Amino acid sequence: MPHRGSFITIERHIADQEHLHLYATGAFSRLLRDLMLAIRVISREVRRAGLVDIFGTTGEENVHGERVRKLDVFSNETIIRAMRYGGHLCGMASEESEGLIPIPENVAKGSYVLLFDPLDGSSNIDINVTIGTIFSIYRRVSPDIDRLGDMNDLIQPGYRQVAAGYALYGSSTVLVYTTGNGVDMFTYDPTLGEFLLSNSTIRIPERGGYYSINEGNSSYWHEGMANYISHLKEIDPETNRPYSQRYIGTAVADVHRTLMYGGIFLYPGDKKSPNGKLRLMYEVNPLAMLIEQAGGVAIDGRNRVLDLVPETLHERSPLVCGSPANVEEALSFIEEDPVGEEVSENQSSPS
Ligand code: P6P
């Protein structure tokens, strides 16, 4: 529910929630507080990017061969610097970095790992369209608390996340996060330097009238997906069709609208990209946890996202998420569509 004019800061909210977690020690709360500092710094830079010539690209490419923008690098480095000395983590991973981001040898290792997309929506950075930071937190699985973590600590199924959230740098900076007890939203007040609770225990509407997908990919859609989207565009006032199409091209912003207004967001696998475009570990999993915690549904086109067993750090996954009624209806159309990589008939299965 809206908390207009409340003075519940995120620090107090984190502390108040601590008792809800049997294992939560001050470390978990301090981890979140350090992350909030990084997000404040990124928010400040995003808002003045045009003034300090931080728009544009660095001329380099990231691990995925994508052009790196100065704000991407700044955001990535800001989070790493804010998080690596706190003593709460045994490792990190980022969309902008190849493998495990280590914790310095002389720094205490903690019980958690942090995975993040430092600036989602890079293609929108230079045109002042909403972008965001997405994060996902797990407890380490490797036993030795004093040692650096490893890939097994980073590559875990989404249902093991202990926290997930995102910051949106839009008309205002908002932070939406969950630690497994519902979804809460905070709005940043730059005059106070505080994130103040603005919407607690957010619940996604049971059904919504928006669908969000890149229609430019329609030639590649599998049959079921094509039929579903055509169904949404038919004229039928009794079922409030046609739906309205909204697509910003920043996943975290499109999913935020879906969370707040209801409806469905889809970045499906198709004939060109069987696993879609979004990254499982630091985009799809955290967004799926938030949608589920708000009463929604998140699938890869057939299976629950949070049950997917990841194999590599940067693997992609299709995502179909939103209001329960919308996702259920979509599934009735797409459940026969292929999901993920297909082994074609003429491909011999590995010996
Ligand atoms: P397309 C941004 O670059 C991003 O990774 C997501 O935030 C967004 O949903 C998607 O790519 C947009 O991709 O293929 O629709 O332009």
Side-chain angles (χ1 to χ4, degrees), residues 292-350:
E292 283 202 2
Q293 281 288 315
V297 176
I299 59 175
D300 64 357
R302 187 172 307 141
N303 310 299
R304 180 185 183 228
V305 163
L306 296 186
D307 288 339
L308 298 178
V309 180
E311 293 173 7
T312 61
L313 191 54
H314 297 291
E315 69 182 65
R316 300 176 193 271
S317 166
L319 177 60
V320 174
C321 68
S323 298
N326 294 92
V327 176
E328 184 183 348
E329 181 180 61
L331 194 53
S332 68
F333 283 84
I334 67 177
E335 57 193 352
E336 300 303 321
D337 283 354
V339 174
E341 303 290 352
E342 278 184 296
V343 179
S344 59
E345 285 81 42
N346 60 1
Q347 246 181 329
S348 58
S349 55

Side-chain angles (χ1 to χ4, degrees), residues 116-326:
F116 57 95
D117 181 354
L119 214 53
D120 176 52
S122 302
S123 55
N124 284 324
I125 288 177
D126 293 358
I127 51 165
N128 214 22
V129 169
T130 297
I131 51 183
T133 298
I134 311 173
F135 63 89
S136 172
I137 299 170
Y138 293 85
R139 289 181 64 78
R140 70 183 298 164
V141 293
S142 51
D144 189 344
I145 185 68
D146 296 329
R147 286 190 52 225
L148 187 60
D150 58 31
M151 276 308 195
N152 293 323
D153 295 307
L154 292 173
I155 303 174
Q156 299 187 50
Y159 67 82
R160 287 203 200 129
Q161 292 174 101
V162 294
Y166 56 76
L168 265 187
Y169 313 112
S171 50
S172 62
T173 292
V174 297
L175 182 102
V176 176
Y177 91 110
T178 181
T179 58
N181 295 283
V183 178
D184 298 299
M185 183 167 93
F186 298 78
T187 301
Y188 186 54
D189 180 336
T191 63
L192 299 175
E194 291 284 3
F195 279 101
L196 299 177
L197 184 63
S198 48
N199 207 328
S200 64
T201 54
I202 296 172
R203 301 299 291 172
I204 191 169
E206 173 62 22
R207 177 183 284 273
Y210 290 107
Y211 76 99
S212 185
I213 191 169
N214 182 344
E215 292 257 8
N217 293 328
S218 58
S219 302
Y220 300 113
W221 293 341
H222 294 299
E223 184 181 0
M225 182 57 71
N227 292 339
Y228 171 59
I229 302 299
S230 297
H231 168 78
L232 297 183
K233 296 194 274 192
E234 288 168 0
I235 299 173
D236 178 12
E238 279 189 17
T239 55
N240 298 313
R241 288 182 290 151
Y243 277 21
S244 292
Q245 199 269 355
R246 293 285 186 279
Y247 193 75
I248 294 173
T250 297
V252 63
D254 284 316
V255 171
H256 183 68
R257 181 199 50 255
T258 305
L259 177 70
M260 302 307 288
Y261 290 167
I264 191 167
F265 170 80
L266 312 97
Y267 207 111
D270 59 26
K271 297 166 191 167
K272 176 183 155 197
S273 309
N275 292 309
K277 176 179 180 182
L278 305 181
R279 305 286 179 174
L280 176 60
M281 293 313 299
Y282 38 77
E283 290 177 329
V284 175
N285 267 337
L287 294 175
M289 181 179 185
L290 288 157
I291 288 286
E292 283 202 2
Q293 281 288 315
V297 176
I299 59 175
D300 64 357
R302 187 172 307 141
N303 310 299
R304 180 185 183 228
V305 163
L306 296 186
D307 288 339
L308 298 178
V309 180
E311 293 173 7
T312 61
L313 191 54
H314 297 291
E315 69 182 65
R316 300 176 193 271
S317 166
L319 177 60
V320 174
C321 68
S323 298
N326 294 92

Side-chain angles (χ1 to χ4, degrees), residues 83 89 100 138 230:
M83 302 306 293
L89 299 173
L100 180 141
Y138 293 85
S230 297

